[in-house]
Amino acid sequence: PDDSFDVVISNGAFCLAPNKEKAFAEILRVLKPGGRISICTSTTKEANLEAGVNWPLCMKMFIPIEDIVPVCEKLGYVDVFVDDSDSLMTMELPEEVLEDTNPNRSKIHVGSEEFKHLEEYDMNKLCA
């Protein structure tokens, strides 16, 4: 129902919403007046990724960081703040931990033949 929640938190899945404006609108709809959101999501630093490159679907779905504030303000959010102070792309678990639990887990992008060409890119220059 409308106006149901004091707080909405998303830690990592928001980047997969196919339509970010619709997703932000839905969050606003269910927030109580004065409610707050906190979203941790991957973004791109530029509006468009390099054309002709085979990017993983998840990266194609990232919102450009510069679009977040205008989209949210257009919908009616106030006091929108984007904190990119800790935005380096890092692996939080040691590689050996991932290999011990599931040797193919880290092969989706890193190490897969399909995305081997991405090793040439500095993801910290592309993503935030």
Side-chain angles (χ1 to χ4, degrees):
D2 294 352
D3 305 327
S4 300
F5 298 97
D6 295 312
V7 177
V8 173
I9 298 171
S10 175
N11 186 16
F14 193 81
C15 60
L16 300 177
N19 183 320
K20 305 301 184 278
E21 186 170 341
K22 262 182 149 173
F24 278 119
E26 183 62 12
I27 292 169
L28 188 61
R29 182 187 70 77
V30 299
L31 277 175
K32 291 179 182 176
R36 299 174 61 177
I37 70 170
S38 180
I39 295 175
C40 178
T41 190
S42 297
T43 62
T44 55
K45 291 184 178 180
E46 302 291 327
N48 296 305
L49 294 170
E50 184 180 335
V53 175
N54 180 24
W55 298 104
L57 179 60
C58 59
M59 287 184 70
K60 293 177 191 176
M61 294 177 68
F62 292 172
I63 186 172
I65 196 165
E66 70 221 26
D67 291 355
I68 295 174
V69 172
V71 165
C72 289
E73 288 177 343
K74 173 183 157 191
L75 293 169
Y77 285 94
V78 294
D79 300 324
V80 179
F81 173 70
V82 174
D83 178 1
D84 64 349
S85 62
D86 186 22
S87 66
L88 294 180
M89 304 294 277
T90 61
M91 191 69 133
E92 293 185 21
L93 295 173
E95 190 69 31
E96 60 272 10
V97 171
L98 294 176
E99 288 175 3
D100 288 345
T101 58
N102 180 348
N104 294 317
R105 178 183 169 98
S106 64
K107 304 296 184 203
I108 306 280
H109 302 104
V110 179
S112 74
E113 284 303 312
E114 181 180 6
F115 297 111
K116 192 160 187 66
H117 62 283
L118 297 180
E119 292 175 4
E120 302 169 17
Y121 290 89
D122 180 349
M123 291 302 154
N124 286 313
K125 290 182 179 177
L126 295 172
C127 302

